[in-house]
Amino acid sequence: MKTVRITLSIVVALVFMLSAVGCAPKATVAPPPAVPVVVKNSGGYVIPVAKCAPNCKYSDMTLGFIQTGSEGGWRAANTGSFNETSKQLGLNLKFYDAQNKFENQISAFRNFIQDPDVNVIVLSALEAAGWDEVLQEAKAAKKLVVLQDRRIDSSEALYLTFIGADFVEEGRKAGNEMCKLLKDSAKKNVVELVGNVGSSAAIDRGKGFRETMTECGIVITQSQTGNWSATEGKAVMEAWLKQSKDIQGVFAQNDEMGIGAAQATNEAGLKAGTDIKILSVDATAGAFNAMIKGDINTVVECNPLLAPQVFEAALKGLNGDATLPAWIPSQEGVFYAADAATILPTRKY
Ligand code: AHR
């Protein structure tokens, strides 16, 4: 027993001495709990950084895409850009066509918030207003949100970035170009075919056109929605021509409505592009063919091939990259009937 006590006191003494000189086995101190790093971009959006960050790859992305519908050439090119590019990059795309119904977009948004696989939601908003609630829900569920094509009225702090056109600037260009088309015309009565009511595209293009039309004394004598469609655009123009043929120009907020207005003009015994100048927005192949026929005079471009920029921004978001601006504007031009035949073969949509 005495031996045991002696041995024990020697061991205790040894440990004491070793700890005194720092050789004792270090007690493992648990590292302090990781303070969640809040990553915010310039718009004030708190980025829901993914677990795979900073090395997330496109194969880590499941993206729920809420499209407006399938109205016309521009929309088909925009949807095609998403389907093709997602295949090329190897990301999982869940596509939803809202058939141009706002309530469908809201319910699809909530379904994607509920979907455990979805880590990114991309929205092409039918209407600019009414998104705060679901965006707050997406924030609470840590779903990354990116807007494409159409801006919304909600705060930039509720989405990572918006990738799309400056619709006001498109409208300004249209006003300037209509002034050029009517420069030799004593009267400048213009009718406006508007996009779907409440959309930022329709609101902003109308606003921009009214800013520059005053420079040459253009008067808007009629303005009505044609819902982006050739059929409705034609019907509205037919009704206006029945009321009065004292129209010198048509501002069609997209190509389809411009093509419809040209058909109505020609069927009313006037010459579209000559008796009545027609300007449209988008620059799809349909508009180029109408320019070659002489039915449309000028086209202001709106670029639908946005998917590569959207996917790149979403991946940066998943990786916690806070350097993205709140708006990434797309590059766009203006095209004239005189050059249409030469340019058409080079166009992607
Ligand atoms: O948001 C872009 C607009 O939507 C296009 O100008 C139109 O063709 C489409 O419906």
Side-chain angles (χ1 to χ4, degrees):
M1 187 55 187
K2 195 165 165 223
T3 342
V4 173
R5 263 207 310 278
I6 294 167
T7 324
L8 204 58
S9 49
I10 293 169
V11 169
V12 170
L14 267 178
V15 168
F16 183 76
M17 280 158 57
L18 288 174
S19 58
V21 293
C23 300
K26 290 234 178 325
T28 51
V29 182
V35 179
V37 181
V38 174
V39 182
K40 248 188 198 178
N41 72 358
S42 58
Y45 179 66
V46 175
I47 302 178
V49 182
K51 289 202 179 64
C52 52
N55 307 310
C56 301
K57 303 183 292 306
Y58 283 118
S59 53
D60 299 312
M61 191 187 292
T62 296
L63 187 146
F65 175 31
I66 304 169
Q67 182 59 292
T68 58
S70 49
E71 77 286 359
W74 191 95
R75 194 58 58 188
N78 183 242
T79 297
S81 174
F82 277 78
N83 290 332
E84 283 140 37
T85 313
S86 60
K87 288 197 189 80
Q88 287 156 8
L89 296 175
L91 65 92
N92 181 17
L93 178 72
K94 295 193 176 194
F95 177 79
Y96 180 81
D97 175 344
Q99 292 162 349
N100 288 296
K101 293 195 177 60
F102 181 70
E103 61 277 15
N104 290 351
Q105 291 204 312
I106 295 288
S107 59
F109 206 106
R110 289 208 162 99
N111 292 343
F112 283 140
I113 289 174
Q114 303 303 325
D115 185 333
D117 299 335
V118 168
N119 47 16
V120 180
I121 299 174
V122 173
L123 173 67
S124 193
L126 265 167
E127 294 177 19
W131 293 101
D132 286 9
E133 208 179 313
V134 286
L135 289 171
Q136 290 290 3
E137 292 165 19
K139 188 175 176 183
K142 297 203 175 331
K143 302 284 183 179
L144 188 78
V145 175
V146 175
L147 307 180
Q148 78 103 28
D149 167 28
R150 298 205 181 147
R151 68 161 183 78
I152 60 175
D153 295 342
S154 299
S155 155
E156 290 170 353
L158 290 173
Y159 55 86
L160 176 70
T161 188
F162 160 51
I163 294 164
D166 180 344
F167 291 136
V168 178
E169 184 54 24
E170 288 175 355
R172 292 191 196 105
K173 286 177 186 170
N176 289 332
E177 294 300 331
M178 186 58 83
C179 280
K180 289 183 197 166
L181 288 171
L182 298 180
K183 71 178 179 347
D184 304 328
S185 174
K187 299 179 80 174
K188 296 181 172 53
N189 295 334
V190 167
V191 295
E192 179 189 33
L193 285 166
V194 181
N196 74 285
V197 175
S199 70
S200 57
I203 296 165
D204 294 354
R205 285 173 185 166
K207 183 168 174 279
F209 188 87
R210 285 163 178 73
E211 280 179 21
T212 52
M213 72 178 202
T214 49
E215 278 150 38
C216 69
I218 284 172
V219 179
I220 292 183
T221 53
Q222 301 275 12
S223 176
Q224 187 179 331
T225 185
N227 280 310
W228 309 117
S229 102
T231 316
E232 282 193 53
K234 182 181 181 191
V236 172
M237 187 66 182
E238 279 169 349
W240 286 337
L241 286 169
K242 283 203 181 78
Q243 286 173 35
S244 160
K245 287 193 171 48
D246 186 13
I247 298 173
Q248 284 75 53
V250 176
F251 168 39
Q253 290 194 354
N254 84 333
D255 294 340
E256 274 78 12
M257 294 189 292
I259 291 163
Q263 286 161 0
T265 302
N266 292 334
E267 289 171 18
L270 297 169
K271 177 71 189 84
T274 306
D275 302 325
I276 297 182
K277 303 297 185 188
I278 301 186
L279 177 149
S280 66
V281 180
D282 280 348
T284 55
F288 274 82
N289 287 319
M291 283 198 283
I292 292 167
K293 265 174 64 184
D295 278 353
I296 290 182
N297 303 90
T298 303
V299 174
V300 172
E301 182 176 29
C302 179
N303 182 354
L305 308 181
L306 304 174
Q309 288 172 287
V310 170
F311 295 150
E312 188 190 353
L315 189 62
K316 283 185 174 170
L318 290 181
N319 280 320
D321 179 339
T323 61
L324 282 170
W327 178 21
I328 302 172
S330 34
Q331 304 312 311
E332 300 168 338
V334 175
F335 300 98
Y336 304 97
D339 318 317
T342 322
I343 295 173
L344 180 54
T346 68
R347 303 286 293 167
K348 291 203 187 78
Y349 56 91

